[in-house]
């Protein structure tokens, strides 16, 4: 069992991300300061919750938290910075968006972004720290909604099912239909398919429409 030392301050922000692994779309982060007077039952790592439970908890978090905010880094920023630094940037944006400036930030994982307040990285924090669990849920619900919109625009890619992750179905769709503007061109599976199409057609890039 991982342990962490909880800071003895009033306003603690939990920060988490969703979307480091997918081949498409933004990496989405959330920051949450919970209200001790309004406890929320059932907080956990968003990946361990059903979609129905996540949606219900997301609404409860938004209603009961002292404040919350989302951050993001777009595919072009991911391609320019790399996914790690783009994720840290998105975390900075989420914390900056909070209506209350936290006295401390607890970050899921083993790296902290540069923030104006002290911060601690907590491995497995989305299962250990309620604030991080809440952030995980908000980020997951937000990014899944974006993938649903992308699915409606491009149903042939199946984003509603794989959420942009590099599944066999997603890779096959890229091979067949080309890449979308939202694809992360620096990610190896996308880059290799782009290069393969370029070699076959003599074009620089094949973009789906």
């Amino acid at each position: 069992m991982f342990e962490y030392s909880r800071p003895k301050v009033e306003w603690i922000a939990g920060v988490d991300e969703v979307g480091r692994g997918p081949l498409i779309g933004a990496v989405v982060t959330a920051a949450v300061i919970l209200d001790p007077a309004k406890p929320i039952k059932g907080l956990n790592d968003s990946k361990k919750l059903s979609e129905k439970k996540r949606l219900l908890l997301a609404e409860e978090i938004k209603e009961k938290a002292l404040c919350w905010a989302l951050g993001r880094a777009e595919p072009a920023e991911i391609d320019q910075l790399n996914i790690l630094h783009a994720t840290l940037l998105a975390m900075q944006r989420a914390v900056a968006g909070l209506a209350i400036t936290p006295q401390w930030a607890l970050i899921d994982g083993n790296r902290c972004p540069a923030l104006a307040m002290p911060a601690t990285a907590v491995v497995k924090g989305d299962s250990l720290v309620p604030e991080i669990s809440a952030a995980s849920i908000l980020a997951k619900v937000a990014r899944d909604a974006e993938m649903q919109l992308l699915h409606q625009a491009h149903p042939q890619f199946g984003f509603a099912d794989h959420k942009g992750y590099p599944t066999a179905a997603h890779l096959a769709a890229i091979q067949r239909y080309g890449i979308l503007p939202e694809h992360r061109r620096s990610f190896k599976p996308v880059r290799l398919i782009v290069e393969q199409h370029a070699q076959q057609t003599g074009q620089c890039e094949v973009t789906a429409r």
Side-chain angles (χ1 to χ4, degrees), residues 7 63 130 145 190:
E63 178 184 344
V190 177

Side-chain angles (χ1 to χ4, degrees), residues 79-92:
D79 290 339
Q80 179 182 4
L81 298 173
N82 76 40
I83 186 60
L84 171 61
H85 289 95
T87 299
L88 296 175
L89 174 61
M91 287 180 169
Q92 290 174 329

Side-chain angles (χ1 to χ4, degrees), residues 27-85:
V27 57
V28 177
T29 59
V32 180
I33 300 178
L34 294 176
D35 186 346
K38 298 178 180 178
I40 301 172
K41 294 182 179 179
L43 292 176
N44 201 344
D45 175 4
S46 63
K47 298 184 292 296
K48 298 179 181 178
L49 300 170
S50 68
E51 181 179 9
K52 180 179 180 180
K53 184 65 172 176
R54 280 197 302 268
L55 290 170
L56 291 172
L57 281 171
E59 291 306 310
E60 188 174 0
I61 292 163
K62 292 175 182 180
E63 178 184 344
K64 292 183 176 180
L66 288 175
C67 61
W68 61 274
L70 296 175
R72 57 193 294 112
E74 303 297 341
E77 293 176 307
I78 295 169
D79 290 339
Q80 179 182 4
L81 298 173
N82 76 40
I83 186 60
L84 171 61
H85 289 95

